[in-house]
Amino acid sequence: MEELARKAGITVRTLRFYRERKLLPPPRREGRIAWYDDRHLARLRTIAALLERGHTLNGIADLASTFESGRDVGELFGLGEDAAPATWTEETPVRLTPEDLADYFAGEVTTENLATALDLGYLAIDGEEIVHISRRLLDASAALVREGVPLAAVLQAGREVREHTTAMAEIFATMVRRHLSEEATSDDPTAPATPATPAAALERLRPLAKSVVEAELSMALDRLIRAEKDAPDRP
């Protein structure tokens, strides 16, 4: 314990206090000997960094509890312990420390927002690190928060957008299964000799689906912007 406290730059009394507050995971025990490792040191450095950013010990304890109840990386990406990362996704995961996350969303990393992000699958836990599922979503969310949109509102919008995009993806998948599957093309003399599986066809045609969705969203925003410009001044 003394060595851990020295490496973390705190007193043994402070370390005991953190243990009592359950801010640290329990040590590995061999008889009456408690063994601390790099995981405990990383947690202590995280606590110090979050305290410097204005978080309270109660808030840090709540965050730690939420982290520990969150899904791990394997569950988020649907992997077993020895499985390789999925090759079909276009998203780039981002590894973050808790203090990195606090810097991205200054003042907005609350227990409620963290729990929502974990529930949505935006975040997963990998030891003392956090993994965000998508660099693009992370950057867009942080930009919206910098513009003044509360993170809770961003997460709620993300939940609603996911419902609609899941429905759009299913529309596209249904079209592919209906018209490009082996059964659909078996009687078509112009079809390829070896028709693609639905998964392969979806991978190959994904850019077309994205183009349709992007164009439709752009036109929908055009209509909304035009309506806003044509509307009379609101009080």
Side-chain angles (χ1 to χ4, degrees):
M1 181 179 287
E2 290 80 5
E3 182 181 0
L4 177 63
R6 178 181 56 79
K7 288 182 178 180
I10 59 176
T11 65
V12 173
R13 181 180 178 182
T14 299
L15 179 55
R16 288 198 177 101
F17 177 70
Y18 288 168
R19 281 185 54 187
E20 292 170 1
R21 296 290 298 273
K22 301 188 183 303
L23 291 169
L24 284 178
R28 179 174 59 86
R29 290 195 172 273
E30 293 182 2
R32 299 183 63 183
I33 301 175
W35 294 97
Y36 294 91
D37 55 26
D38 290 344
R39 183 171 59 118
H40 297 92
L41 181 58
R43 176 65 65 86
L44 289 171
R45 288 172 174 165
T46 292
I47 292 169
L50 292 176
L51 286 171
E52 288 179 0
R53 288 160 173 79
H55 290 259
T56 65
L57 285 177
N58 283 338
I60 294 172
D62 288 342
L63 291 175
S65 176
T66 306
F67 283 141
E68 288 163 5
S69 66
R71 288 181 286 180
D72 64 22
V73 173
E75 184 180 353
L76 178 66
F77 290 99
L79 304 177
E81 290 184 1
D82 301 323
T87 57
W88 57 83
T89 180
E90 295 183 343
E91 299 308 309
T92 302
V94 184
R95 287 187 171 272
L96 304 161
T97 63
E99 50 266 40
D100 290 335
L101 191 66
D103 288 340
Y104 259 94
F105 303 103
E108 295 276 343
V109 181
T110 64
T111 304
E112 294 78 10
N113 286 338
L114 181 61
T116 300
L118 288 164
D119 180 58
L120 282 166
Y122 287 166
L123 299 179
I125 309 304
D126 189 12
E128 290 297 309
E129 284 190 316
I130 304 164
V131 178
H132 195 291
I133 194 171
S134 167
R135 163 66 71 183
R136 292 191 293 181
L137 282 177
L138 175 63
D139 289 345
S141 299
L144 286 168
V145 169
R146 287 195 300 270
E147 290 286 338
V149 181
L151 181 55
V154 173
L155 292 171
Q156 178 58 34
R159 188 184 296 277
E160 294 175 17
V161 166
R162 175 172 294 180
E163 293 176 2
H164 293 291
T165 53
T166 298
M168 288 188 286
E170 186 55 45
I171 290 170
F172 187 75
T174 298
M175 180 183 68
V176 167
R177 295 188 199 103
R178 181 174 300 160
H179 298 287
L180 299 179
S181 68
E182 183 173 357
E183 294 80 5
T185 57
S186 58
D187 296 329
D188 184 355
T190 65
T194 306
T197 64
L202 283 170
E203 282 192 77
R204 180 170 58 86
L205 299 175
R206 181 203 297 245
L208 299 180
K210 290 168 58 180
S211 293
V212 171
V213 172
E214 184 176 357
E216 287 289 353
L217 177 60
S218 179
M219 290 188 293
L221 287 170
D222 286 345
R223 292 190 291 272
L224 287 174
I225 292 170
R226 185 181 305 114
E228 287 291 326
K229 288 180 177 294
D230 293 342
D233 293 337
R234 294 182 175 87

